[in-house]
Amino acid sequence: MLNTAFWKEKKVFVTGHTGFKGAWLSLWLEYMGAEVYGYALKPPTIPSLYEVCQVESRLASVTYNDIRNLDALCLAVQSAKPDIVIHMAAQPIVRKSYVNPRETYETNVLGTVHLFEAVRCSLAEGNSIKAVINVTTDKCYDNKEWDWAYRENDVLGGQDPYSNSKACSELLTTAYRASFFSGAKGLAVASVRAGNVIGGGDWAEDRLLPDCIAAIIKGESIQIRNPSSVRPWQHVLEPLGGYLHLAEKLVTGGETYAEAWNFGPDESEVYSVEQVVGMLCAKWGGEATYQTQLPADHLHEARMLRLDCSKAKLRLGWKPQWNISETLDKVVEWTQSWIKNENMVKSSIKQIKEYMGEKST
């Protein structure tokens, strides 16, 4: 379990804090007593978890700006004087990367360069940053569509601009760590590769669960375009818990943990798109239905993707807490609470406490 005392009064700089994962992470950090400094564009969707849970009011400071603005990013990092930096800002959608590859590379590659440059500037100013985590993706691997799971030392690649840009971000992490941060007093840099995250409060475009829930709420049949595709589905709190575990190790163990890490479900938790959608419909109840359709644009998306997370389990003591059934229960519970106009800060913190094994009140 997490050492919550470790996080009390820790200064944590989070890029992309207005996104789905960033908002959940910010809530979790604030709940544990950390001082969170956010840097991101305004929330990417309306509604958004960030606004529904009034995340801004819970943070120490927020800066609304683009990760591609180096001067603004450097100023924000230097002003925050963080202990830990977690870089989550990204263009995260595969199909959008086909439409606008330049923006995808500028955000995901140059944005990573800017993050590391801002860290370098802050160190030069005498600020002490203990750990930096660059959040990439499970799609950074050169996916051969094979059935076994990818390990951290497998070849990087990516056919689409999004996946490829994240592989580039991984290579940048390695280069900056070796060129500028190796041996730096007290600073450890790692990258993290998570599976497909799902959870309450995700309204992103062109993502499976948000599309499903939007259709259900409208009373429409869910349309799925790649029913046989397999992904490492996991609740959003699973990889976030892994990042928090890793950050603790980076601060206390230094460069011993300064490398790449996978965070995904147990290998027995292998489900296709159609299986996940079928389970969601059953759990939602009522008239929730789905049907398959062929994609109109025929853009390439990988059929099979699995992660080997044995390293994180063995060396970090991290392991998944919820299976796919429990994960979908949490998604339905959160969404139906939102539909009923309940207090979503309370509902979100309740799920965080449940994930941590704490009793909800």
Side-chain angles (χ1 to χ4, degrees):
M1 301 304 296
L2 287 173
N3 177 12
T4 55
F6 169 88
W7 293 98
K8 188 172 179 59
E9 298 182 354
K10 281 287 190 301
K11 293 184 176 183
V12 186
F13 188 90
V14 179
T15 71
H17 72 285
T18 59
F20 170 58
K21 288 175 71 176
W24 271 107
L25 179 64
S26 298
L27 283 172
W28 197 345
L29 286 167
E30 191 272 340
Y31 169 70
M32 294 190 295
E35 296 180 19
V36 183
Y37 298 79
Y39 183 100
L41 298 173
K42 290 284 188 176
T45 62
I46 299 174
S48 69
L49 178 69
Y50 183 75
E51 292 184 333
V52 166
C53 290
Q54 303 173 340
V55 177
E56 179 180 346
S57 66
R58 308 175 74 86
L59 306 189
S61 174
V62 296
T63 301
Y64 296 113
N65 213 313
D66 200 307
I67 196 70
R68 294 172 291 182
N69 187 332
L70 178 59
D71 291 340
L73 182 59
C74 286
L75 179 60
V77 174
Q78 290 179 25
S79 298
K81 297 180 174 59
D83 302 298
I84 297 166
V85 175
I86 302 178
H87 176 45
M88 306 182 76
Q91 190 299 94
I93 306 299
V94 171
R95 293 168 71 83
K96 183 177 179 180
S97 75
Y98 282 108
V99 177
N100 201 333
R102 176 177 173 177
E103 178 186 357
T104 300
Y105 281 103
E106 286 178 344
T107 303
N108 296 350
V109 181
L110 188 59
T112 303
V113 172
H114 286 177
L115 185 281
F116 287 134
E117 285 298 300
V119 170
R120 289 184 67 203
C121 290
S122 186
L123 293 174
E125 291 293 321
N127 297 327
S128 176
I129 300 174
K130 303 298 184 187
V132 178
I133 295 177
N134 179 26
V135 179
T136 64
T137 177
D138 58 340
K139 297 175 181 64
C140 68
Y141 293 105
D142 182 16
N143 195 337
K144 302 296 187 183
E145 302 279 358
W146 53 38
D147 291 333
W148 55 87
Y150 289 90
R151 297 174 297 178
E152 288 87 347
N153 58 354
D154 281 324
V155 176
L156 301 176
Q159 294 187 35
D160 61 88
Y162 167 73
S163 303
N164 187 269
S165 71
K166 285 298 193 175
C168 292
S169 182
E170 284 281 351
L171 294 172
L172 279 169
T173 304
T174 301
Y176 266 83
R177 181 169 54 229
S179 298
F180 305 111
F181 302 134
S182 180
K185 187 176 181 181
L187 175 61
V189 179
S191 61
V192 291
R193 306 161 182 176
N196 287 50
V197 297
I198 55 181
D202 189 1
W203 282 279
E205 294 181 6
D206 206 30
R207 282 169 54 84
L208 181 63
L209 265 291
D211 289 348
C212 290
I213 290 170
I216 291 171
I217 292 173
K218 293 177 184 176
E220 300 173 353
S221 180
I222 298 167
Q223 305 294 313
I224 54 176
R225 61 176 181 264
N226 294 307
S228 62
S229 292
V230 172
R231 296 287 184 274
W233 311 102
Q234 60 185 330
H235 193 277
V236 63
L237 296 180
E238 300 280 19
L240 296 182
Y243 306 166
L244 296 174
H245 272 279
L246 176 59
E248 291 181 30
K249 295 291 188 179
L250 290 170
V251 171
T252 59
E255 293 190 12
T256 302
Y257 300 94
E259 52 195 66
W261 299 86
N262 285 342
F263 294 101
D266 285 327
E267 289 194 39
S268 60
E269 289 285 298
V270 179
Y271 298 96
S272 69
V273 167
E274 185 168 11
Q275 288 174 311
V276 170
V277 174
M279 283 187 278
L280 175 67
C281 289
K283 291 176 180 297
W284 192 278
E287 300 300 319
T289 61
Y290 73 91
Q291 61 187 40
T292 62
Q293 65 173 8
L294 292 175
D297 47 28
H298 303 292
L299 298 177
H300 176 269
E301 294 184 81
R303 178 190 62 83
M304 173 69 72
L305 182 56
R306 298 170 61 195
L307 291 177
D308 183 332
C309 305
S310 55
K311 186 173 81 167
K313 294 175 183 178
L314 291 171
R315 293 181 55 196
L316 300 180
W318 169 89
K319 64 178 180 179
Q321 301 298 309
W322 293 335
N323 60 32
I324 189 63
S325 179
E326 293 167 314
T327 292
L328 291 171
D329 283 338
K330 300 301 180 185
V331 174
V332 171
E333 175 190 87
W334 194 100
T335 307
Q336 293 185 346
S337 294
W338 173 72
I339 291 172
K340 295 173 186 175
N341 201 30
E342 296 179 358
N343 183 326
M344 296 317 298
V345 175
K346 185 176 180 180
S347 296
S348 301
I349 296 299
K350 174 179 175 288
Q351 291 196 349
I352 290 172
K353 292 171 69 174
E354 288 170 348
Y355 183 81
M356 296 174 67
E358 297 181 2
K359 292 183 178 180
S360 297
T361 56

